[in-house]
């Protein structure tokens, strides 16, 4: 067990190094010159050369990469060309908004998919099953940007039920920064009006982001619960005289939900890619928006920093998911 | 047979609604089990043995339905019982051992949890008391170090041990009837004998009647006092075990006995020609007719009734039975 974790950690370091390597060189080859953007249209040759020298951009790429990695090992992600601040403090400022958004989206998609998938399996062939399957396909196949616009059009423009974007209304005083998650911070300070306002702003982006997770979950859970329902041990449990609910809970769901845990890692991937689009459409001041703007401005350090943080989160959650699976399935634990 | 059967199945008819049409799985099966008795249901795969046992437990898959007939357990008609009442009987009064011990234990629950839940489904006992009884029980089915074994998971047990666990679980509440569906088919031959011996001893000790389902006539000969031969959902012949082996009257039974390999016998193995009929067609006449060497004109028209052959305990459903 300890050996397994050590091996996984070593592998993670390798993956994260790979991400920095690819992102570093990729961001340099895409068109766009940060120096020109920084200096403005009227800057002369000498000014451009000065800025290039200031940021070390006149050095050869391998030297730049070496310097970047050395700084990285000291916990320094460099300075953003656009915000002129440390990328580390930028990320600290933008990350909580993303964590809040994707946390709720994951929760909604995961729980929604669990319920829909199990109910569809238990009522196989019924109208409920058909509705579950249809909604799963829709959730998986509708592009996030389109769903986002559709929800904005219907629930903001037409019905006026939800705000167009942002985390809080301008008129609402944000709660003091404790965790950075507005719903948690407002609850901790018993600021119920800020809490409800934050939830109200979360609704549409969370639904948009949750759709893909919900679709994948529903399909996986439905298939796996159907498989388990046909297993002999379910029949054996019924033959013991257990109540139907007990059979479902202890035998069907315990086993049927194992694959759902496996794909949890995959769903983080879905979220991480969806979050860029959703944050852009809903003007959500999160890491996705930050990275989006950084890429557009060829802000190398900011792009790299944001990508690195997302990669680290992704790799860590996958490790946690694998360890959780180890706990849930004794066949793996003891082999 | 005892005067008062503990379980009595009368003219049971079970059908399945499938996309391809109706499957006539069981077509009027009748048998009795006396208290503490041991009877066998024998037949090829698809002959309706397992469906019959699931119908008795009222655990048929969704598509299956008991169309007519009675299942009487100690004077109580089971086919009309509420699901709640039926659940009270399952595992407590009538229990079941399934064919494949590898798949009939839940892989993510410990052995102890799975035995204890059978006790706790029917008796208001605490977790600890249930565990103690589970440990005791494992000891009684010959699993050494029973206390520690409770914490282990099914995949850490061999096939024979798992089937011992299943038998222990099925008998933990001292049921009146145990239905064992091919309990040793998935096991090694050497383990088979031990498991059968265990089954025999325990049921005898507890006075549990056993309905043994198998296609293996050798097991039947050792374990049962009476055998009911099934084919395509019909009862073909029913007789005391000794009588059936000595004087089979139905051509199908004769065929079954002829297809057992016997050491030292010089005769050739004689398989029954042909294959069992398509159960999706409504049965007309005797289902064995196309494969039968003794068929006569009447066999195509009507299914013969199950009537006494030589004496009242030997029943046969045949227009042209083999002379004794």
């Amino acid at each position: 067990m300890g050996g397994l974790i050590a091996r996984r950690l070593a592998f993670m370091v390798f993956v994260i190094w790979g991400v920095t390597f690819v992102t570093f060189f990729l961001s340099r080859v895409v068109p766009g010159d940060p120096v020109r953007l920084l200096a403005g249209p009227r800057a002369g040759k000498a000014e451009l050369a000065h800025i290039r020298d200031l940021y070390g951009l006149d050095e050869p790429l391998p030297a730049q990469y070496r310097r970047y990695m050395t700084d990285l090992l000291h916990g320094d992600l460099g300075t953003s060309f656009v915000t002129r601040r440390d990328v580390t403090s930028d990320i600290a400022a933008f990350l909580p908004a993303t964590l809040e958004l994707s946390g709720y989206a994951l929760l909604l998609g995961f729980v929604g998919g669990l319920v829909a998938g199990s109910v569809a399996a238990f009522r196989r062939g019924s109208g409920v099953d058909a509705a579950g399957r249809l909604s799963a396909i829709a959730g998986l196949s509708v592009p996030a940007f389109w769903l986002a616009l559709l929800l904005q059009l219907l629930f903001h423009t037409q019905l006026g039920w939800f705000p167009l974007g942002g985390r809080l209304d301008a008129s609402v005083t944000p709660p003091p920064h404790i965790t950075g998650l507005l719903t948690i911070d407002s609850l901790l300070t018993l600021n119920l009006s800020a809490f409800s306002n934050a939830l109200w702003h979360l609704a549409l982006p969370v639904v948009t982001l949750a759709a893909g997770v919900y679709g994948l979950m529903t399909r996986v859970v439905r298939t796996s619960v159907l498989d388990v329902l046909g297993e002999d041990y379910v029949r054996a449990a019924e033959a013991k005289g257990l109540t139907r609910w007990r059979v479902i809970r202890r035998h069907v769901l315990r086993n049927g939900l194992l694959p759902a845990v496996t794909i949890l890692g995959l769903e983080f991937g879905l979220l991480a890619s969806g979050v860029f689009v959703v944050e852009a459409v809903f003007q959500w001041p999160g890491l996705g928006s930050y990275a989006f703007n950084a890429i557009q401005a060829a802000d190398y350090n900011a792009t790299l920093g944001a990508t690195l943080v997302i990669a680290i989160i992704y790799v860590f959650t996958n490790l946690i998911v694998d360890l959780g699976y180890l706990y849930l399935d004794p066949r793996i634990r003891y082999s | 047979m005892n005067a008062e059967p503990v379980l009595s199945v009368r003219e049971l008819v079970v059908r399945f609604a499938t996309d391809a049409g109706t499957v006539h799985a069981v077509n009027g099966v009748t048998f009795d089990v006396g208290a503490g008795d041991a009877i066998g249901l024998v037949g090829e795969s698809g002959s309706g043995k397992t469906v019959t046992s699931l119908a008795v437990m009222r655990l048929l898959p969704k598509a299956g339905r008991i169309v007519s007939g009675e299942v009487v357990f100690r004077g109580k008609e089971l086919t009309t019982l509420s699901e709640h009442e039926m659940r009270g009987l399952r595992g407590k009064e009538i229990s079941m051992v399934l064919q494949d011990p590898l798949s009939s234990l839940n892989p993510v629950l410990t052995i102890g949890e799975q035995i204890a839940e059978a006790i706790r489904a029917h008796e208001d006992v605490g977790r600890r008391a249930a565990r103690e009884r589970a440990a005791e029980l494992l000891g009684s089915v010959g699993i050494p170090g029973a206390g520690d074994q409770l914490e282990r998971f099914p995949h850490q047990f061999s096939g024979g041990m798992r089937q011992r666990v299943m038998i222990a679980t099925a008998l933990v509440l001292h049921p009146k009837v145990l239905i064992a569906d091919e309990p040793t088919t998935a096991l090694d031959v050497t383990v088979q004998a031990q498991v059968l011996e265990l089954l025999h001893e325990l049921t005898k000790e507890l006075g549990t009647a056993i309905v043994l389902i198998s296609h293996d006539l050798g097991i039947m000969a050792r374990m049962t006092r009476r055998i009911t031969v099934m084919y395509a959902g019909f009862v073909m012949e029913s007789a005391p075990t000794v009588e059936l082996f000595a004087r089979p009257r139905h051509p199908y039974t004769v065929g079954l006995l002829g297809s057992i390999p016997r050491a030292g016998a010089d005769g050739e193995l004689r398989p029954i020609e042909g294959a069992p009929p398509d159960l999706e067609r409504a049965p007309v006449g005797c289902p064995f007719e196309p494969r039968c060497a003794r068929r006569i004109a009447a066999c195509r028209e009507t299914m013969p009734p199950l009537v006494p052959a030589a004496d009242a305990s030997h029943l046969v459903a045949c227009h042209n039975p083999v002379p004794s």
Side-chain angles (χ1 to χ4, degrees):
Chain A
M1 184 97 170
L4 179 89
I5 297 175
R7 245 178 305 147
R8 286 296 304 262
L9 284 172
F11 183 66
M12 275 166 56
V13 170
F14 176 74
V15 166
I16 290 165
W17 168 77
V19 167
T20 64
F21 186 82
V22 171
T23 319
F24 184 88
F25 288 99
L26 214 58
S27 63
R28 306 293 155 132
V29 294
V30 294
D33 184 357
V35 177
R36 236 169 230 298
L37 288 167
L38 259 164
R42 276 193 297 274
K45 271 224 169 88
E47 278 175 83
L48 290 179
H50 175 67
I51 296 174
R52 238 181 269 282
D53 179 53
L54 195 68
Y55 288 102
L57 293 171
D58 51 349
E59 289 175 55
L61 278 187
Q64 287 187 37
Y65 182 65
R66 204 175 314 123
R67 196 157 44 79
Y68 183 81
M69 289 308 284
T70 314
D71 289 347
L72 180 64
L73 290 177
H74 292 95
D76 181 5
L77 291 172
T79 310
S80 160
F81 301 148
V82 177
T83 65
R84 314 272 168 106
R85 294 195 307 168
D86 276 356
V87 170
T88 324
S89 46
D90 272 353
I91 287 172
F94 285 100
L95 185 61
T98 298
L99 289 182
E100 186 164 39
L101 174 62
S102 40
Y104 282 110
L106 185 68
L107 193 71
L108 181 72
F110 194 76
V111 174
L114 272 188
V115 173
S118 328
V119 171
F122 289 126
R123 300 262 176 274
R124 184 187 194 170
S126 70
V128 183
D129 184 19
R133 279 154 67 189
L134 198 73
S135 64
I137 294 277
L140 262 178
S141 50
V142 170
F145 74 89
W146 189 74
L147 181 61
L149 293 176
L150 209 71
L151 290 176
Q152 284 182 332
L153 225 92
L154 181 64
F155 290 106
H156 176 75
T157 315
Q158 294 290 322
L159 298 168
W161 291 353
F162 291 99
L164 191 62
R167 293 181 81 189
L168 276 182
D169 279 340
S171 59
V172 176
T173 322
H177 185 103
I178 302 168
T179 60
L181 310 176
L182 292 182
T183 48
I184 307 279
D185 289 350
S186 57
L187 271 188
L188 288 176
T189 53
L190 297 173
N191 185 349
L192 287 185
S193 67
F195 175 73
S196 62
N197 195 265
L199 271 189
W200 191 48
H201 280 79
L202 273 164
L204 297 187
V206 162
V207 167
T208 310
L209 201 52
V213 176
Y214 164 83
L216 186 61
M217 245 338 250
T218 304
R219 286 174 65 91
V220 169
V221 169
R222 179 178 179 275
T223 310
S224 113
V225 168
L226 277 180
D227 281 351
V228 174
L229 279 174
E231 289 284 349
D232 281 348
Y233 57 76
V234 171
R235 184 156 283 165
E238 289 174 327
K240 287 177 190 170
L242 300 187
T243 60
R244 182 156 172 76
W245 174 235
R246 245 186 124 66
V247 173
I248 289 174
R249 206 168 48 87
R250 269 174 80 95
H251 296 275
V252 181
L253 292 183
R254 251 320 278 274
N255 288 283
L257 299 190
L258 281 178
V261 177
T262 325
I263 61 159
L264 202 63
L266 253 170
E267 311 209 305
F268 270 104
L270 271 180
L271 281 178
S273 56
V275 92
F276 284 84
V277 177
V278 172
E279 287 190 1
V281 178
F282 288 99
Q283 298 135 47
W284 195 261
L287 203 60
S289 293
Y290 179 70
F292 186 78
N293 293 330
I295 292 166
Q296 287 204 319
D299 187 348
Y300 299 149
N301 287 341
T303 309
L304 259 147
T307 313
L308 196 61
V309 168
I310 290 173
I312 289 173
I313 293 176
Y314 181 74
V315 172
F316 259 101
T317 45
N318 269 284
L319 176 71
I320 292 167
V321 165
D322 286 1
L323 293 181
Y325 199 78
L326 221 56
Y327 168 75
L328 288 174
D329 194 339
R331 283 166 297 186
I332 298 176
R333 204 185 318 159
Y334 290 97
S335 62
Chain B
M1 196 194 299
N2 298 25
E4 185 66 26
V6 59
L7 178 71
S8 178
V9 174
R10 290 273 163 275
E11 293 295 327
L12 186 72
V13 177
V14 179
R15 287 185 193 147
F16 283 82
T18 68
D19 291 340
T22 306
V23 174
H24 301 261
V26 175
N27 303 300
V29 163
T30 295
F31 63 87
D32 287 310
V33 195
D37 207 355
I39 71 142
L41 294 184
V42 70
E44 293 165 71
S45 10
S47 60
K49 302 166 300 195
T50 299
V51 174
T52 302
S53 68
L54 290 175
V56 169
M57 294 292 278
R58 293 256 309 268
L59 287 176
L60 287 170
K62 258 186 200 161
R65 202 165 58 86
I66 299 176
V67 175
S68 61
E70 294 175 353
V71 178
V72 181
F73 172 75
R74 301 177 93 191
K76 206 185 281 180
E77 170 61 48
L78 300 189
T79 55
T80 54
L81 229 51
S82 74
E83 174 57 28
H84 178 77
E85 288 173 293
M86 194 61 217
R87 203 186 65 235
L89 292 180
R90 284 186 203 124
K92 181 165 172 60
E93 302 286 353
I94 310 176
S95 61
M96 207 169 178
V97 175
L98 299 174
Q99 175 170 353
D100 188 354
L102 303 183
S103 61
S104 42
L105 284 164
N106 186 336
V108 303
L109 297 179
T110 63
I111 298 293
E113 286 175 299
Q114 299 194 54
I115 301 175
E117 74 176 358
I119 303 172
R120 284 160 61 89
H122 298 284
E123 290 178 14
D124 190 19
V125 294
R127 225 170 266 275
R128 273 216 11 213
R131 270 185 58 92
E132 272 163 29
R133 269 172 69 184
E136 211 173 287
L137 201 69
L138 279 189
S140 75
V141 295
I143 293 180
D148 303 329
Q149 304 283 19
L150 290 179
E151 296 304 325
R152 303 183 75 187
F153 288 93
H155 70 275
Q156 297 169 298
F157 277 41
S158 68
M161 272 163 90
R162 290 190 217 190
Q163 198 60 305
R164 284 165 191 266
V165 170
M166 293 312 291
I167 290 169
T169 312
L171 293 174
V172 63
L173 298 171
H174 302 181
K176 299 288 177 296
V177 178
L178 173 72
I179 301 173
D181 188 356
E182 306 262 10
T184 57
T185 308
L187 303 176
D188 288 344
V189 180
T190 47
V191 182
Q192 271 189 14
Q194 295 167 5
V195 168
L196 287 174
E197 186 58 32
L198 175 74
L199 204 56
H200 180 70
E201 268 175 28
L202 284 178
T203 48
K204 214 169 153 186
E205 198 182 303
L206 300 171
T208 301
I210 180 165
V211 178
L212 186 67
I213 296 175
S214 182
H215 62 274
D216 186 333
L217 282 163
I219 289 175
M220 287 295 176
R222 276 170 49 191
M223 295 286 294
T224 64
R225 297 212 305 142
R226 188 179 177 85
I227 292 175
T228 295
V229 179
M230 288 179 68
Y231 184 79
F234 288 95
V235 173
M236 291 294 171
E237 186 164 11
S238 177
T241 305
V242 179
E243 167 78 7
L244 191 88
F245 275 88
R247 281 173 291 279
R249 302 298 306 276
H250 199 287
Y252 176 63
T253 314
V254 174
L256 269 186
L257 291 170
S259 55
I260 309 174
R262 247 183 271 264
D266 50 358
E268 264 181 66
L269 207 56
R270 296 183 306 277
I272 306 173
E273 295 293 325
D278 183 3
L279 295 175
E280 279 172 25
R281 264 180 305 189
V284 179
C286 175
F288 189 60
E289 181 266 338
R291 301 170 77 184
C292 184
R294 295 181 57 82
R295 62 175 172 255
I296 55 173
C299 300
R300 298 192 68 144
E301 265 114 61
T302 54
M303 174 67 202
L306 193 64
V307 291
D311 61 87
S313 72
H314 191 156
L315 306 172
V316 64
C318 187
H319 286 305
N320 188 20
V322 179
S324 53

